[in-house]
Amino acid sequence: MTPAVGASSASEPGWRPFTVPNLISLARLGCLPWFVWLVLGAQDRWAAALLLGALGATDWVDGWVARRFDQVSELGKILDPTADRLMLLVALVVMIADGSLPLWVAVLALFREAAVAVAALVMGALGARKIDVTWWGKTGTFLMMFAVPFFLAGHSDIGVADAFRVGAWVFVAVGLPIHYWSAVGYVPQAFAAVREGRAARSAS
């Protein structure tokens, strides 16, 4: 996931809360209780995997809609990565409880998310401007969001479970390093964001 720090005012041009991409992000968040119930309540790993895969795919849909139909908004720049982060966190915690995800994979992914969240809070306290999502950040999130449902499918009772299990490890092998690389890539941007945020406050 990518850090979204700083705050935009609702009066700022481009805030635009009522857009299709923002509604898609809210719908993704609204499906999380359903996912939790499918795994821990119904114990239907295959259905949960399909739902999580669909939610992960919409991560690209809302971005495409925003760019294609000129619906990019300041709120969307915060809401979209927040939805990504919450989806991944919920999925990791639920799958740890379910036993369908290797613990070390979950720990590495959770550590990265926690580090980014803490960094975002610190930067916000320092008055940094908001850092926009990067291609590497979105790609790492996308790959991890597919690794997780593949692990679920790999531990289900469908006939091709073994193939999904192999696919899950492929996604992890590629996605986890990118996930960490994207976080490292935000370090120079973070320092620049703090300087620019403070400069803007001084100028005002």
Side-chain angles (χ1 to χ4, degrees), residues 1-199:
M1 303 285 106
T2 52
V5 297
S8 297
S9 169
S11 62
E12 181 180 339
W15 183 253
R16 306 171 66 187
F18 303 108
T19 65
V20 173
N22 290 346
L23 291 177
I24 293 174
S25 294
L26 289 174
R28 292 164 64 205
L29 290 173
C31 287
L32 288 180
W34 184 18
F35 168 78
V36 174
W37 176 78
L38 283 173
V39 178
L40 301 181
Q43 297 184 341
D44 190 341
R45 291 170 171 170
W46 174 236
L50 290 176
L51 175 61
L52 194 60
L55 295 178
T58 60
D59 181 35
W60 290 93
V61 173
D62 57 7
W64 181 85
V65 170
R67 294 186 297 271
R68 177 66 176 81
F69 298 100
D70 191 27
Q71 294 193 358
V72 175
S73 66
E74 291 301 316
L75 177 60
K77 292 179 181 179
I78 298 172
L79 186 59
D80 179 48
T82 299
D84 292 343
R85 181 172 294 119
L86 285 175
M87 285 171 56
L88 188 57
L89 285 174
V90 169
L92 290 172
V93 171
V94 167
M95 289 177 63
I96 290 174
D98 177 61
S100 54
L101 182 69
L103 184 59
W104 70 269
V105 173
V107 168
L108 285 177
L110 287 171
F111 177 79
R112 192 269 187 189
E113 293 306 311
V116 169
V118 171
L121 290 174
V122 171
M123 290 173 60
L126 293 175
R129 63 167 175 79
K130 178 172 60 63
I131 298 178
D132 292 334
V133 177
T134 67
W135 183 89
W136 284 109
K138 297 296 287 183
T139 300
T141 298
F142 179 80
L143 292 171
M144 290 304 296
M145 282 304 301
F146 273 92
V148 172
F150 268 54
F151 273 116
L152 266 176
H155 285 80
S156 68
D157 56 2
I158 62 173
V160 291
D162 289 342
F164 275 103
R165 195 174 297 115
V166 172
W169 284 113
V170 172
F171 277 119
V172 166
V174 178
L176 200 55
I178 291 177
H179 214 39
Y180 270 84
W181 174 252
S182 68
V184 173
Y186 282 110
V187 172
Q189 293 188 47
F191 284 110
V194 171
R195 290 195 301 268
E196 292 173 17
R198 287 181 170 179

